């Protein structure tokens, strides 16, 4: 169950990372509320997952999900570059996430 909670926490990190773009420096109310809510929920879920998961593994996977998810969302939603080097680098992060998951006790 902790792994599922960690996954949801990571996906919420993607929501708030992309949400930051839409807040325009927290000057827009609705995107700001969504972003802050996702931030709090993400941190709370991360802390719950860390009750049973190793801190280094949980934190690295959480940030990895957030980084990869935000980069993919940037490509899909915001028209950011999808160069070969960028996609390859994202694949390396995913490989690291999988490696950490497989090596966790």
């Amino acid at each position: 169950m902790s792994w599922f909670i960690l996954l949801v926490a990571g996906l919420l990190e993607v929501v708030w990372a992309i949400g930051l773009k839409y807040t325009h420096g927290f000057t827009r109310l609705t995107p700001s509320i969504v972003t802050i809510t996702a931030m709090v929920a993400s941190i709370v879920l991360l802390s719950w997952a860390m009750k049973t998961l190793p801190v280094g593994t949980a934190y690295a996977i959480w940030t990895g999900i957030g980084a990869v998810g935000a980069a993919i969302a940037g490509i899909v939603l915001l028209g950011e570059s999808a160069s070969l080097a960028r996609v390859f680098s994202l694949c390396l992060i995913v490989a690291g996430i999988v490696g950490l998951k497989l090596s966790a006790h």
Side-chain angles (χ1 to χ4, degrees), residues 2 5-6 43-55 58:
S2 294
I5 291 170
L6 183 61
I43 294 292
V44 168
L45 291 176
L46 174 62
S47 72
W48 286 352
M50 284 184 175
K51 286 180 181 180
T52 57
L53 299 176
V55 66

Side-chain angles (χ1 to χ4, degrees), residues 52-73:
T52 57
L53 299 176
V55 66
T57 300
Y59 185 75
I61 290 175
W62 177 72
T63 57
I65 292 168
V68 170
I72 291 170

Side-chain angles (χ1 to χ4, degrees), residues 4 10 21 24 32 39 60 90 93 97 103:
F4 177 73
K21 178 79 170 175
H24 291 264
S32 296
M39 285 176 171
L90 291 173
I93 296 171
I97 292 169
S103 67

Side-chain angles (χ1 to χ4, degrees), residues 2-105:
S2 294
W3 289 107
F4 177 73
I5 291 170
L6 183 61
L7 173 66
V8 174
L11 295 174
L12 285 168
E13 186 184 7
V14 175
V15 171
W16 69 256
I18 295 300
L20 286 172
K21 178 79 170 175
Y22 292 99
T23 67
H24 291 264
F26 290 102
T27 60
R28 299 170 89 196
L29 183 61
T30 300
S32 296
I33 291 170
V34 170
T35 299
I36 291 168
T37 302
M39 285 176 171
V40 171
S42 181
I43 294 292
V44 168
L45 291 176
L46 174 62
S47 72
W48 286 352
M50 284 184 175
K51 286 180 181 180
T52 57
L53 299 176
V55 66
T57 300
Y59 185 75
I61 290 175
W62 177 72
T63 57
I65 292 168
V68 170
I72 291 170
I75 291 167
V76 172
L77 300 174
L78 305 172
E80 295 177 359
S81 169
S83 69
L84 182 60
R86 191 165 191 217
V87 171
F88 178 72
S89 297
L90 291 173
C91 289
L92 290 174
I93 296 171
V94 170
I97 292 169
V98 170
L100 286 169
K101 167 64 172 99
L102 294 176
S103 67
H105 293 92

